[in-house]
Amino acid sequence: MMILLASALLTFAAAQDVPPLTETVEIAPQVEFQTPQERLTARLDALATADEAAARPLVDEIFALWAHSGSDTISLLMDRGHAAEAAGDLDIAARMYDHVTALAPEFAEGWLAAGRIATQLEDWTYAFETLNTALTLEPRRFDAYVTLGRVLENAQAIGAALDAYEEALAIHPTYAPAVQAKARIDAAQAGRAL
């Protein structure tokens, strides 16, 4: 009998706390949905004014967005290319990236990877072509500007190399490879001026 009475009291108390069924509760989303392209643009915009610490997570997300091909085949080829590159097998890496550029000619990441390998193999003409293609497809690739700057330095086009490094810094002002390369060229030019 005691259990029945306690149960009835709990049911009555719970019924008193329930809001009327005529009220509706709307829950607003915490973050508005963004497409990958919108997220990329937002992260790149934030990167332009971020200090070094704030830039790190932005760069990680930007690279992840750029690396997403939307194709399992392209992802597999890119993974194999990265693995071959890490193992020092540049010929295999070059073949994997060439397959990517043939299968997905609109995928800037493949062109950039092919250009990066071409610079390591000192195939400067192909490196220049692939990097220009990557930058045509994605003109905000600060890392491609740095690689292009290295190609231009090798060709003794120092002014053009400096322009490439400055383009990278306009997008990502704290990008260490661009900061260092620009400082190196500035110091060399200051030395010549003396």
Side-chain angles (χ1 to χ4, degrees):
M1 180 72 157
M2 238 3 213
I3 294 175
L4 186 58
L5 184 59
S7 176
L9 283 174
L10 285 174
T11 303
F12 179 75
Q16 297 301 317
D17 293 334
V18 175
L21 293 177
T22 57
E23 286 185 32
T24 58
V25 177
E26 290 186 34
I27 300 174
Q30 295 292 337
V31 178
E32 189 174 315
F33 174 79
Q34 292 180 315
T35 66
Q37 192 60 40
E38 290 169 336
R39 282 179 36 220
L40 178 61
T41 298
R43 298 326 177 261
L44 284 164
D45 289 347
L47 186 63
T49 58
D51 64 19
E52 221 172 315
R56 279 189 212 104
L58 291 170
V59 168
D60 289 344
E61 187 172 0
I62 289 166
F63 281 143
L65 288 164
W66 277 335
H68 183 69
S69 68
S71 163
D72 291 340
T73 302
I74 298 303
S75 294
L76 177 65
L77 289 168
M78 289 298 293
D79 288 346
R80 287 183 177 174
H82 289 307
E85 195 175 348
D89 195 341
L90 300 182
D91 291 331
I92 296 291
R95 278 203 313 246
M96 294 299 108
Y97 299 143
D98 285 345
H99 288 312
V100 169
T101 60
L103 293 171
E106 73 293 340
F107 185 50
E109 186 79 10
W111 290 103
L112 176 57
R116 189 177 57 246
I117 294 297
T119 61
Q120 292 178 53
L121 294 172
E122 297 183 357
D123 185 351
W124 305 112
T125 302
Y126 187 63
F128 187 74
E129 290 172 10
T130 55
L131 293 167
N132 274 325
T133 301
L135 287 167
T136 299
L137 293 168
E138 176 50 87
R140 302 168 296 181
R141 288 296 306 233
F142 51 86
D143 52 341
Y145 281 113
V146 169
T147 306
L148 179 62
R150 290 184 189 133
V151 171
L152 292 166
E153 275 191 85
N154 184 70
Q156 299 302 310
I158 304 303
L162 186 59
D163 289 344
Y165 298 136
E166 288 172 348
E167 286 289 337
L169 292 170
I171 299 162
H172 181 355
T174 62
Y175 190 48
V179 170
Q180 294 162 1
K182 183 180 181 316
R184 183 182 66 248
I185 290 176
D186 286 345
Q189 288 181 337
R192 277 191 226 145
L194 297 175

